[in-house]
Amino acid sequence: MMTRRQFLAGSGAAVLGAALVTRAQAASLPEAPIRTQAMTQQPLVPPDGRPYQPVVTLNGWSLPWRVKDGWKEFHLVAEPVKREIAPGMVANLWGYNGQSPGPTIECVEGDKVRIFVTNKLPEHTTIHWHGVLLPNGMDGVGGLTQPHIPAGKTYVYEFVMKHSGTFMYHPHADEMVQMAMGMMGFIVVHPKDPNLYRVDRDFVFLINAFDIDPGSYTPKVNTMLDFNLWCWNSRVFPGIDPLVVRKGDRVRIRMGNLTMTNHPIHIHGHNFSVTCTDGGWVKKSARWPETTVDMPVGALRAFEFVADAPGDWAFHCHKSHHVMNAMGHGVPTMIGVDQRGVAEKINKLLPDYMAMGERGMAEMGGMEMPLPDNTLPMMTGQGPFGPIEMGGMFTVVKIREGLSRDDYKDPGWYRHPEGSVAYEWKGALPAS
C-alpha cells in the first residue's frame, strides 16, 4: 500500500494557492498523521510556540504541527474513512486524516498558520474556515474565492489568526454530499495570554447526523431532515465517551452544529453561562445562567460551569428523537392495543416475531433482539441500576473528587453516598 509520504512525493505537481510547485517542494510538505481509533485522546501539549491550555476532543484528537520559517504548518488529508459510530456499527464516511470528524486544529491568536490540504477523495473539494477572519482568497469557497482542489492535488491556505475563539472547518464544494458524508473538523484559537479565559478542562465536539439504513454502511446524502443517527463527533450513545472532570474544576464545553436542525443541549446537576460563540467571546455583563443552550444550524457555542457536584450527570440533546438510534419514523403507535391474537397468528409464519409497543417502548431498552448486521438498537446502554434507554446525542459528565489534573480515564460508575438514591416507598399512601 502506498504511504502518504510516497503519494505526496510521487504526485508531482502539488498546487500552492493557484500555482504549481516542484516535486522537491511537494516532498517537503509536513507529515499528515492519521488516527483511526475512536477513543478520546489525551490533550496535545504544545511542543513549541506560545503556551496554551490544550483542549480535549470528544472521541477525537488534535493535529500535530511543525514550525517552519515562523509559520505553524498543518497537513490535512481529505479522504474516505471508516468510522465506528458505536460498538457494533461502522460507517463508510469521508473525513480527514483517517477520521470523521477530522482532527482539531489548535493554535494561538497571532499565529501565522499554513495549512496544506491534500485531496484523496474521488472528486474535487475545498475547505472553508468557518468563523475565521482571513483574506478573501483563503476563505475556501470553490469557484468563488479559489479553484476547486482536484482529486490527487494539494493546495495550501495561509493566514494569520487574528482573534481567539471557537471555530470549525468544512468543505464549500459539493457541500451537500461532502458534509453529509462527515467532512468537518474543529478549530480552537487560544488567547495570547494563556491566563485569559483560562479553565481547567476544555472539551470540544461537533454535532452531526447521518441517515444510514439498517444493515447498510454508507449515509444517504440526499436526506434533508429524517436522519436516524444523531451524533456527537460521528458517535452515538453508548459509543460517546464520558466527559471526566475533577470536582471543583472550571469546565468549558465547546460545540459546533453542522446538522440540518437546531439542538437544545442540556446538562444535569449544574447551570452554566455561554461564554463564546463563533463571533467571539461574550462579555461577562452579557452572560446569564442556563441549563440548556440552543445550538442553531451552522453555529458554535462554548459554555462554562464549575463542577461542584460529584456524580454521573446526564448531558444530551433535549429533542427526544435525537437520543435514539436507527429510528423508524413510520412505526405506528400501538399503545393500548391488545396484540396477543395477532402475535399468535404471525408467530406461525415468523417464529421470532415479537409484539411491541402496547405498553410504550421502554421494553426496547432492556431486550436483546435480532437486528440486521451493522445496526444499533434504538435504545441501549447499561448503567449501575439497569438499562439507560438512550441512544444518539447522550453521554455522561463524570465528576469525581481526587482526580489528577490530566486524568481523563473513565472512573466507572459513581458510588452514591448512603441514603442519597431515590427509593421505593413502602409505607401508607395519603388518602386520595
Side-chain angles (χ1 to χ4, degrees):
M1 180 180 293
M2 180 178 288
T3 67
R4 285 211 173 93
R5 184 188 293 272
Q6 291 167 336
F7 170 81
L8 293 171
S11 62
V15 180
L16 180 64
L20 297 176
V21 298
T22 66
R23 285 179 181 270
Q25 289 170 321
S28 70
L29 295 179
E31 289 288 342
I34 64 168
R35 187 174 295 277
T36 57
Q37 295 178 327
M39 296 93 73
T40 301
Q41 302 300 313
Q42 282 291 115
L44 178 64
V45 177
D48 49 34
R50 297 185 180 96
Y52 60 79
Q53 180 72 27
V55 301
V56 175
T57 303
L58 193 61
N59 291 102
W61 58 300
S62 287
L63 184 63
W65 68 85
R66 74 177 183 192
V67 176
K68 184 177 181 181
D69 300 327
W71 290 82
K72 188 172 283 187
E73 294 186 339
F74 299 86
H75 192 175
L76 289 170
V77 177
E79 61 185 348
V81 303
K82 291 186 181 297
R83 176 69 161 176
E84 184 188 65
I85 303 294
M89 182 180 183
V90 174
N92 296 327
L93 304 179
W94 290 359
Y96 302 93
N97 298 60
Q99 284 198 350
S100 165
T104 297
I105 293 175
E106 293 188 74
C107 52
V108 178
E109 180 183 12
D111 276 351
K112 294 164 59 180
V113 175
R114 179 180 289 136
I115 305 174
F116 296 89
V117 179
T118 297
N119 182 12
K120 296 179 70 175
L121 298 173
E123 66 171 4
H124 65 230
T125 190
T126 67
I127 296 189
H128 167 59
W129 314 99
H130 185 116
V132 178
L133 303 180
L134 38 59
N136 184 245
M138 298 293 170
D139 193 48
V141 182
L144 177 65
T145 65
Q146 70 164 85
H148 293 92
I149 306 173
K153 301 294 184 180
T154 299
Y155 272 47
V156 64
Y157 297 85
E158 297 177 338
F159 44 87
V160 177
M161 288 298 191
K162 295 182 178 179
H163 63 126
S164 63
T166 303
F167 314 106
M168 57 187 169
Y169 60 88
H170 60 78
H172 254 301
D174 196 13
E175 185 173 333
M176 181 186 75
V177 169
Q178 295 188 11
M179 291 178 65
M181 289 292 288
M183 296 188 69
M184 56 194 68
F186 220 96
I187 303 172
V188 174
V189 183
H190 298 277
K192 285 182 181 178
D193 179 356
N195 294 314
L196 188 64
Y197 310 122
R198 189 175 181 87
V199 294
D200 299 296
R201 303 205 178 203
D202 200 338
F203 296 93
V204 307
F205 64 87
L206 287 169
I207 301 171
N208 54 346
F210 301 104
D211 184 12
I212 303 178
D213 283 336
S216 62
Y217 291 78
T218 303
K220 296 161 66 176
V221 297
N222 291 322
T223 297
M224 292 182 65
L225 292 175
D226 284 341
F227 296 92
N228 62 9
L229 291 167
W230 297 96
C231 308
W232 289 350
N233 267 17
S234 299
R235 295 279 284 184
V236 299
F237 183 78
I240 301 175
D241 286 344
L243 283 69
V244 178
V245 174
R246 180 176 57 175
K247 183 185 177 185
D249 277 350
R250 184 167 186 84
V251 180
R252 179 184 296 130
I253 300 178
R254 311 183 195 227
M255 306 168 290
N257 181 11
L258 285 173
T259 71
M260 298 286 197
T261 187
N262 67 307
H263 299 279
I265 304 299
H266 174 60
I267 191 169
H268 293 205
H270 297 77
N271 56 32
F272 59 76
S273 296
V274 174
T275 57
C276 191
T277 74
D278 38 340
W281 297 95
V282 179
K283 296 179 180 179
K284 288 186 177 181
S285 60
R287 302 173 188 174
W288 67 89
E290 283 281 10
T291 65
T292 303
V293 59
D294 192 47
M295 292 292 303
V297 177
L300 294 112
R301 297 288 184 268
F303 68 76
E304 298 177 22
F305 65 97
V306 175
D308 54 7
D312 292 338
W313 298 105
F315 178 44
H316 60 96
C317 177
H318 220 290
K319 289 187 175 181
S320 58
H321 285 197
H322 295 182
V323 288
M324 301 182 81
N325 300 321
M327 281 204 62
H329 298 104
V331 176
T333 298
M334 303 298 290
I335 294 174
V337 177
D338 187 345
Q339 301 181 66
R340 286 174 294 181
V342 174
E344 290 174 2
K345 294 177 181 179
I346 294 178
N347 261 307
K348 294 176 181 178
L349 301 173
L350 300 171
D352 292 329
Y353 175 78
M354 301 170 66
M356 295 180 294
E358 63 191 68
R359 294 180 300 275
M361 297 299 288
E363 58 192 352
M364 293 288 294
M367 67 172 53
E368 299 280 341
M369 58 184 300
L371 292 170
D373 290 342
N374 205 51
T375 301
L376 299 172
M378 278 199 329
M379 299 172 358
T380 185
Q382 289 289 323
F385 300 102
I388 295 178
E389 300 178 351
M390 287 290 180
M393 298 179 179
F394 178 94
T395 189
V396 178
V397 178
K398 296 191 172 185
I399 300 174
R400 300 289 190 273
E401 295 187 81
L403 298 181
S404 64
R405 179 179 299 277
D406 296 318
D407 186 359
Y408 291 91
K409 297 187 300 294
D410 188 342
W413 298 115
Y414 181 62
R415 297 182 180 180
H416 298 82
E418 186 176 355
S420 66
V421 177
Y423 59 95
E424 179 185 1
W425 174 254
K426 297 182 178 180
L429 296 177
S432 58

Coordinates of all heavy atoms in Angstrom, one line a residue, residues 170-218:
H170 N -15.0 23.0 7.2 CA -15.8 22.1 6.4 C -15.7 22.5 5.0 O -15.2 23.6 4.6 CB -17.2 22.1 6.9 CG -17.9 23.4 6.8 ND1 -18.4 24.0 5.6 CD2 -18.2 24.4 7.7 CE1 -19.0 25.1 5.8 NE2 -18.8 25.4 7.1
P171 N -16.1 21.6 4.0 CA -16.0 22.0 2.6 C -17.0 23.0 2.2 O -18.0 23.2 2.8 CB -16.3 20.6 1.9 CG -16.2 19.6 2.9 CD -16.5 20.2 4.2
H172 N -16.6 23.8 1.1 CA -17.6 24.5 0.4 C -17.4 24.1 -1.1 O -17.1 24.9 -2.0 CB -17.4 26.0 0.5 CG -18.4 26.7 1.4 ND1 -19.7 26.7 1.1 CD2 -18.3 27.4 2.6 CE1 -20.4 27.3 2.0 NE2 -19.6 27.8 3.0
A173 N -17.6 22.8 -1.3 CA -17.6 22.2 -2.6 C -18.4 20.9 -2.6 O -18.2 20.1 -1.6 CB -16.1 21.8 -3.0
D174 N -19.4 20.8 -3.5 CA -20.3 19.6 -3.4 C -20.7 19.5 -1.9 O -20.7 18.4 -1.4 CB -19.7 18.4 -3.9 CG -20.7 17.3 -4.2 OD1 -21.9 17.6 -4.2 OD2 -20.3 16.1 -4.4
E175 N -21.1 20.6 -1.3 CA -21.3 20.7 0.1 C -22.3 19.7 0.7 O -22.1 19.0 1.7 CB -21.7 22.1 0.5 CG -21.7 22.4 2.0 CD -21.9 23.8 2.3 OE1 -21.5 24.7 1.4 OE2 -22.5 24.1 3.3
M176 N -23.4 19.5 0.0 CA -24.5 18.6 0.5 C -23.9 17.2 0.6 O -24.1 16.6 1.7 CB -25.6 18.6 -0.5 CG -26.8 17.7 0.0 SD -28.1 17.6 -1.2 CE -27.3 16.5 -2.4
V177 N -23.2 16.7 -0.4 CA -22.6 15.4 -0.3 C -21.5 15.3 0.7 O -21.5 14.4 1.6 CB -22.1 14.9 -1.7 CG1 -21.3 13.6 -1.6 CG2 -23.3 14.7 -2.6
Q178 N -20.5 16.2 0.7 CA -19.3 16.1 1.4 C -19.6 16.3 2.9 O -19.0 15.5 3.8 CB -18.3 17.0 0.9 CG -17.8 16.7 -0.5 CD -16.6 17.5 -1.0 OE1 -15.9 18.2 -0.2 NE2 -16.3 17.4 -2.3
M179 N -20.5 17.2 3.3 CA -20.8 17.3 4.7 C -21.7 16.2 5.2 O -21.5 15.7 6.3 CB -21.4 18.7 5.0 CG -20.4 19.8 4.8 SD -21.1 21.5 5.1 CE -21.6 21.4 6.8
A180 N -22.6 15.7 4.3 CA -23.4 14.6 4.7 C -22.6 13.3 4.9 O -23.0 12.4 5.6 CB -24.5 14.3 3.7
M181 N -21.4 13.3 4.3 CA -20.5 12.1 4.4 C -19.6 12.3 5.6 O -18.8 11.4 5.8 CB -19.7 11.9 3.1 CG -20.6 11.4 1.9 SD -21.1 9.7 2.2 CE -19.6 8.8 2.0
G182 N -19.6 13.4 6.3 CA -18.9 13.5 7.5 C -17.6 14.4 7.5 O -16.8 14.4 8.4
M183 N -17.5 15.3 6.4 CA -16.3 16.1 6.3 C -16.5 17.4 7.1 O -17.2 18.3 6.8 CB -16.0 16.4 4.8 CG -15.7 15.2 4.0 SD -15.2 15.6 2.4 CE -13.6 16.3 2.7
M184 N -15.7 17.5 8.2 CA -15.8 18.6 9.1 C -14.7 18.5 10.2 O -14.1 17.4 10.3 CB -17.2 18.7 9.8 CG -17.6 17.5 10.5 SD -19.3 17.4 11.0 CE -20.1 17.2 9.4
G185 N -14.4 19.5 10.9 CA -13.5 19.5 12.0 C -13.5 20.7 12.8 O -14.1 21.7 12.4
F186 N -12.9 20.7 14.0 CA -13.0 21.8 14.9 C -11.7 22.7 14.9 O -10.6 22.1 14.6 CB -13.1 21.3 16.3 CG -14.0 22.0 17.2 CD1 -15.4 21.7 17.4 CD2 -13.6 23.2 17.9 CE1 -16.2 22.4 18.2 CE2 -14.4 23.9 18.7 CZ -15.8 23.5 18.8
I187 N -11.8 23.9 15.1 CA -10.7 24.8 15.2 C -10.8 25.6 16.6 O -11.8 26.1 16.9 CB -10.6 25.9 14.1 CG1 -10.6 25.2 12.7 CG2 -9.4 26.8 14.3 CD1 -10.7 26.2 11.6
V188 N -9.7 25.6 17.3 CA -9.6 26.4 18.6 C -8.4 27.3 18.5 O -7.3 26.9 18.3 CB -9.5 25.5 19.8 CG1 -9.3 26.3 21.1 CG2 -10.7 24.6 20.0
V189 N -8.7 28.6 18.6 CA -7.7 29.6 18.7 C -7.6 30.1 20.1 O -8.5 30.8 20.6 CB -7.9 30.7 17.7 CG1 -6.8 31.7 17.7 CG2 -8.1 30.2 16.3
H190 N -6.5 29.8 20.7 CA -6.3 30.2 22.1 C -5.8 31.7 22.2 O -5.2 32.2 21.3 CB -5.2 29.3 22.8 CG -5.6 27.9 22.8 ND1 -6.5 27.3 23.8 CD2 -5.3 26.8 22.0 CE1 -6.6 26.0 23.5 NE2 -5.9 25.7 22.4
P191 N -6.2 32.4 23.3 CA -5.7 33.7 23.6 C -4.2 33.8 23.7 O -3.5 32.8 24.1 CB -6.4 34.2 24.9 CG -7.5 33.2 25.1 CD -7.0 31.9 24.4
K192 N -3.6 35.0 23.3 CA -2.2 35.2 23.5 C -1.7 35.0 25.0 O -0.7 34.4 25.3 CB -1.8 36.6 23.0 CG -1.7 36.8 21.5 CD -1.3 38.2 21.2 CE -1.3 38.4 19.7 NZ -0.9 39.8 19.3
D193 N -2.6 35.5 25.8 CA -2.3 35.4 27.3 C -2.9 34.1 27.7 O -4.2 33.9 27.8 CB -2.9 36.6 28.0 CG -2.7 36.5 29.5 OD1 -2.2 35.5 30.0 OD2 -3.1 37.4 30.2
P194 N -2.1 33.1 28.1 CA -2.7 31.8 28.5 C -3.6 31.8 29.7 O -4.3 30.9 30.0 CB -1.5 30.9 28.7 CG -0.3 31.8 28.9 CD -0.7 33.1 28.2
N195 N -3.5 32.9 30.5 CA -4.3 33.0 31.7 C -5.6 33.7 31.4 O -6.5 33.8 32.3 CB -3.5 33.8 32.8 CG -2.3 33.0 33.3 OD1 -2.4 31.8 33.5 ND2 -1.2 33.6 33.4
L196 N -5.8 34.2 30.2 CA -7.1 34.9 29.8 C -8.1 33.8 29.5 O -7.8 32.9 28.7 CB -6.8 35.8 28.6 CG -8.0 36.7 28.2 CD1 -8.3 37.7 29.4 CD2 -7.6 37.5 26.9
Y197 N -9.3 33.9 30.1 CA -10.4 32.9 29.8 C -9.9 31.5 30.2 O -10.4 30.5 29.6 CB -10.8 32.9 28.4 CG -11.2 34.3 27.8 CD1 -10.5 34.8 26.7 CD2 -12.1 35.1 28.5 CE1 -10.8 36.0 26.2 CE2 -12.4 36.4 28.0 CZ -11.8 36.8 26.8 OH -12.1 38.1 26.3
R198 N -9.0 31.3 31.1 CA -8.5 30.0 31.4 C -9.5 29.2 32.2 O -10.2 29.6 33.0 CB -7.2 30.2 32.3 CG -6.5 28.8 32.5 CD -5.1 29.0 33.2 NE -4.4 27.8 33.4 CZ -3.5 27.3 32.5 NH1 -3.3 28.0 31.3 NH2 -2.9 26.2 32.7
V199 N -9.5 27.9 31.8 CA -10.4 26.9 32.5 C -9.5 25.7 32.8 O -8.3 25.6 32.4 CB -11.6 26.5 31.7 CG1 -12.5 27.6 31.5 CG2 -11.1 25.9 30.3
D200 N -10.0 24.8 33.6 CA -9.2 23.6 34.0 C -9.4 22.5 33.0 O -8.4 21.7 32.7 CB -9.7 23.1 35.4 CG -9.4 24.1 36.5 OD1 -8.3 24.5 36.7 OD2 -10.4 24.6 37.0
R201 N -10.6 22.3 32.4 CA -10.8 21.3 31.4 C -11.6 21.9 30.3 O -12.6 22.6 30.5 CB -11.5 20.1 32.0 CG -10.7 19.5 33.1 CD -11.0 18.0 33.4 NE -10.1 17.6 34.5 CZ -9.8 16.3 34.7 NH1 -10.2 15.4 33.9 NH2 -9.0 16.0 35.7
D202 N -11.2 21.7 29.0 CA -11.8 22.3 27.9 C -12.1 21.3 26.8 O -11.2 20.7 26.2 CB -10.8 23.3 27.3 CG -11.4 24.4 26.4 OD1 -12.5 24.2 25.9 OD2 -10.7 25.5 26.2
F203 N -13.4 20.9 26.7 CA -13.8 19.9 25.8 C -14.4 20.5 24.5 O -15.1 21.5 24.5 CB -14.9 19.0 26.4 CG -14.4 18.2 27.7 CD1 -14.6 18.8 28.9 CD2 -13.9 17.0 27.5 CE1 -14.2 18.1 30.1 CE2 -13.4 16.3 28.7 CZ -13.6 16.8 29.9
V204 N -14.2 19.7 23.4 CA -14.8 20.2 22.1 C -15.4 19.0 21.4 O -15.0 17.9 21.5 CB -13.8 20.9 21.2 CG1 -13.0 22.0 21.9 CG2 -12.8 19.9 20.6
F205 N -16.5 19.3 20.6 CA -17.1 18.3 19.7 C -18.0 19.0 18.7 O -18.5 20.1 19.0 CB -17.8 17.2 20.4 CG -19.0 17.6 21.2 CD1 -20.3 17.7 20.6 CD2 -19.0 17.9 22.6 CE1 -21.4 18.1 21.3 CE2 -20.1 18.3 23.3 CZ -21.3 18.4 22.7
L206 N -18.2 18.3 17.6 CA -19.2 18.8 16.6 C -20.4 17.9 16.6 O -20.4 16.7 16.8 CB -18.5 18.7 15.2 CG -17.4 19.8 14.9 CD1 -16.7 19.4 13.6 CD2 -18.1 21.2 14.8
I207 N -21.6 18.6 16.3 CA -22.8 17.9 16.2 C -23.1 17.6 14.8 O -23.1 18.5 13.9 CB -24.0 18.8 16.8 CG1 -23.7 19.1 18.3 CG2 -25.3 18.1 16.7 CD1 -24.6 20.2 18.9
N208 N -23.3 16.3 14.5 CA -23.6 15.9 13.1 C -24.6 14.8 13.1 O -24.9 14.2 14.1 CB -22.3 15.6 12.3 CG -21.4 14.5 13.0 OD1 -21.6 14.2 14.2 ND2 -20.5 14.0 12.3
A209 N -25.1 14.4 11.9 CA -26.1 13.4 11.8 C -26.0 12.7 10.4 O -25.5 13.2 9.5 CB -27.5 14.1 11.8
F210 N -26.4 11.4 10.5 CA -26.4 10.6 9.3 C -27.7 9.8 9.1 O -28.4 9.6 10.1 CB -25.3 9.6 9.4 CG -23.9 10.2 9.6 CD1 -23.3 10.2 10.8 CD2 -23.2 10.8 8.5 CE1 -22.0 10.8 11.0 CE2 -22.0 11.4 8.7 CZ -21.4 11.4 9.9
D211 N -28.0 9.5 7.9 CA -29.1 8.6 7.6 C -28.6 7.4 7.0 O -28.2 7.4 5.8 CB -30.1 9.3 6.7 CG -31.4 8.5 6.4 OD1 -31.6 7.5 7.1 OD2 -32.1 8.8 5.5
I212 N -28.5 6.3 7.7 CA -27.9 5.0 7.3 C -28.9 3.9 7.5 O -29.3 3.6 8.6 CB -26.6 4.7 8.0 CG1 -25.6 5.8 7.8 CG2 -26.0 3.4 7.5 CD1 -24.2 5.6 8.5
D213 N -29.4 3.3 6.4 CA -30.4 2.3 6.5 C -29.9 1.1 7.3 O -28.7 0.8 7.3 CB -30.8 1.8 5.1 CG -31.7 2.8 4.4 OD1 -32.4 3.5 5.1 OD2 -31.7 2.7 3.1
P214 N -30.8 0.5 8.1 CA -30.4 -0.7 8.9 C -29.7 -1.7 7.9 O -30.2 -2.0 6.9 CB -31.7 -1.2 9.5 CG -32.5 0.0 9.6 CD -32.2 0.8 8.4
G215 N -28.6 -2.2 8.4 CA -27.8 -3.2 7.6 C -26.9 -2.7 6.5 O -26.2 -3.5 5.9
S216 N -26.9 -1.4 6.4 CA -26.0 -0.8 5.4 C -24.9 0.0 6.0 O -24.9 0.1 7.3 CB -26.8 0.1 4.4 OG -27.4 1.2 5.0
Y217 N -24.0 0.6 5.2 CA -22.8 1.2 5.8 C -22.6 2.7 5.3 O -21.8 3.4 5.9 CB -21.6 0.4 5.3 CG -21.4 -0.9 6.0 CD1 -22.2 -2.0 5.5 CD2 -20.6 -1.2 7.0 CE1 -22.1 -3.3 6.1 CE2 -20.4 -2.4 7.6 CZ -21.2 -3.5 7.1 OH -21.1 -4.7 7.7
T218 N -23.3 3.1 4.3 CA -23.0 4.4 3.7 C -24.2 5.3 3.9 O -25.3 4.9 3.6 CB -22.7 4.3 2.2 OG1 -21.6 3.4 2.0 CG2 -22.3 5.6 1.6

